[in-house]
mmCIF file of all heavy atoms in Angstrom:
data_model
loop_
_atom_site.group_PDB
_atom_site.id
_atom_site.type_symbol
_atom_site.label_atom_id
_atom_site.label_comp_id
_atom_site.label_asym_id
_atom_site.label_seq_id
_atom_site.Cartn_x
_atom_site.Cartn_y
_atom_site.Cartn_z
ATOM 1 N N ILE A 276 -91.092 32.126 -44.214
ATOM 2 C CA ILE A 276 -91.083 32.911 -45.497
ATOM 3 C C ILE A 276 -92.382 33.673 -45.654
ATOM 4 O O ILE A 276 -92.396 34.779 -46.168
ATOM 5 C CB ILE A 276 -90.835 31.948 -46.682
ATOM 6 C CG1 ILE A 276 -89.433 31.329 -46.557
ATOM 7 C CG2 ILE A 276 -91.083 32.667 -47.998
ATOM 8 C CD1 ILE A 276 -89.156 30.329 -47.635
ATOM 9 N N GLN A 277 -93.528 33.171 -45.226
ATOM 10 C CA GLN A 277 -94.784 33.804 -45.379
ATOM 11 C C GLN A 277 -94.808 35.185 -44.660
ATOM 12 O O GLN A 277 -95.440 36.174 -45.179
ATOM 13 C CB GLN A 277 -95.974 32.939 -44.790
ATOM 14 C CG GLN A 277 -96.136 31.610 -45.406
ATOM 15 C CD GLN A 277 -95.263 30.530 -44.712
ATOM 16 O OE1 GLN A 277 -94.244 30.870 -44.074
ATOM 17 N NE2 GLN A 277 -95.600 29.272 -44.908
ATOM 18 N N SER A 278 -94.169 35.343 -43.552
ATOM 19 C CA SER A 278 -94.198 36.537 -42.732
ATOM 20 C C SER A 278 -92.960 37.406 -42.994
ATOM 21 O O SER A 278 -92.921 38.588 -42.564
ATOM 22 C CB SER A 278 -94.289 36.226 -41.243
ATOM 23 O OG SER A 278 -95.344 35.348 -41.010
ATOM 24 N N ARG A 279 -92.025 36.881 -43.634
ATOM 25 C CA ARG A 279 -90.697 37.534 -43.762
ATOM 26 C C ARG A 279 -90.789 38.867 -44.541
ATOM 27 O O ARG A 279 -90.091 39.852 -44.167
ATOM 28 C CB ARG A 279 -89.770 36.617 -44.504
ATOM 29 C CG ARG A 279 -88.299 37.096 -44.425
ATOM 30 C CD ARG A 279 -87.341 36.130 -45.025
ATOM 31 N NE ARG A 279 -87.396 34.837 -44.328
ATOM 32 C CZ ARG A 279 -86.703 33.787 -44.718
ATOM 33 N NH1 ARG A 279 -85.932 33.855 -45.823
ATOM 34 N NH2 ARG A 279 -86.735 32.667 -44.032
ATOM 35 N N ALA A 280 -91.643 38.992 -45.546
ATOM 36 C CA ALA A 280 -91.737 40.210 -46.330
ATOM 37 C C ALA A 280 -92.035 41.416 -45.499
ATOM 38 O O ALA A 280 -91.480 42.546 -45.634
ATOM 39 C CB ALA A 280 -92.768 40.059 -47.454
ATOM 40 N N MET A 281 -93.020 41.236 -44.591
ATOM 41 C CA MET A 281 -93.403 42.386 -43.664
ATOM 42 C C MET A 281 -92.242 42.850 -42.816
ATOM 43 O O MET A 281 -91.984 44.052 -42.721
ATOM 44 C CB MET A 281 -94.550 41.940 -42.843
ATOM 45 C CG MET A 281 -95.001 43.028 -41.852
ATOM 46 S SD MET A 281 -96.402 42.453 -40.767
ATOM 47 C CE MET A 281 -95.514 41.301 -39.726
ATOM 48 N N TYR A 282 -91.484 41.857 -42.246
ATOM 49 C CA TYR A 282 -90.429 42.285 -41.387
ATOM 50 C C TYR A 282 -89.261 42.834 -42.227
ATOM 51 O O TYR A 282 -88.532 43.714 -41.766
ATOM 52 C CB TYR A 282 -89.954 41.038 -40.597
ATOM 53 C CG TYR A 282 -90.987 40.665 -39.584
ATOM 54 C CD1 TYR A 282 -91.818 39.567 -39.677
ATOM 55 C CD2 TYR A 282 -91.003 41.407 -38.355
ATOM 56 C CE1 TYR A 282 -92.702 39.190 -38.656
ATOM 57 C CE2 TYR A 282 -91.931 41.038 -37.317
ATOM 58 C CZ TYR A 282 -92.793 39.984 -37.525
ATOM 59 O OH TYR A 282 -93.637 39.620 -36.547
ATOM 60 N N ASN A 283 -89.105 42.339 -43.414
ATOM 61 C CA ASN A 283 -87.993 42.876 -44.354
ATOM 62 C C ASN A 283 -88.264 44.330 -44.601
ATOM 63 O O ASN A 283 -87.363 45.167 -44.640
ATOM 64 C CB ASN A 283 -87.902 42.052 -45.628
ATOM 65 C CG ASN A 283 -86.935 40.949 -45.484
ATOM 66 O OD1 ASN A 283 -85.935 40.999 -44.707
ATOM 67 N ND2 ASN A 283 -87.172 39.855 -46.218
ATOM 68 N N SER A 284 -89.524 44.696 -44.878
ATOM 69 C CA SER A 284 -89.870 46.086 -45.239
ATOM 70 C C SER A 284 -89.603 46.955 -43.999
ATOM 71 O O SER A 284 -89.142 48.083 -44.114
ATOM 72 C CB SER A 284 -91.257 46.232 -45.729
ATOM 73 O OG SER A 284 -92.207 45.889 -44.745
ATOM 74 N N ARG A 285 -89.981 46.434 -42.807
ATOM 75 C CA ARG A 285 -89.723 47.231 -41.601
ATOM 76 C C ARG A 285 -88.245 47.449 -41.299
ATOM 77 O O ARG A 285 -87.717 48.541 -41.022
ATOM 78 C CB ARG A 285 -90.401 46.579 -40.436
ATOM 79 C CG ARG A 285 -91.896 46.743 -40.411
ATOM 80 C CD ARG A 285 -92.660 45.773 -39.581
ATOM 81 N NE ARG A 285 -92.451 45.763 -38.124
ATOM 82 C CZ ARG A 285 -93.074 44.996 -37.301
ATOM 83 N NH1 ARG A 285 -93.981 44.109 -37.757
ATOM 84 N NH2 ARG A 285 -92.819 45.069 -36.025
ATOM 85 N N LEU A 286 -87.474 46.320 -41.578
ATOM 86 C CA LEU A 286 -86.050 46.403 -41.358
ATOM 87 C C LEU A 286 -85.427 47.408 -42.386
ATOM 88 O O LEU A 286 -84.547 48.173 -42.050
ATOM 89 C CB LEU A 286 -85.398 45.005 -41.578
ATOM 90 C CG LEU A 286 -83.919 44.951 -41.373
ATOM 91 C CD1 LEU A 286 -83.504 45.277 -39.945
ATOM 92 C CD2 LEU A 286 -83.478 43.501 -41.704
#
Side-chain angles (χ1 to χ4, degrees):
I276 295 175
Q277 301 87 338
S278 308
R279 195 177 295 175
M281 177 183 69
Y282 288 103
N283 271 331
S284 66
R285 286 162 62 179
L286 182 62

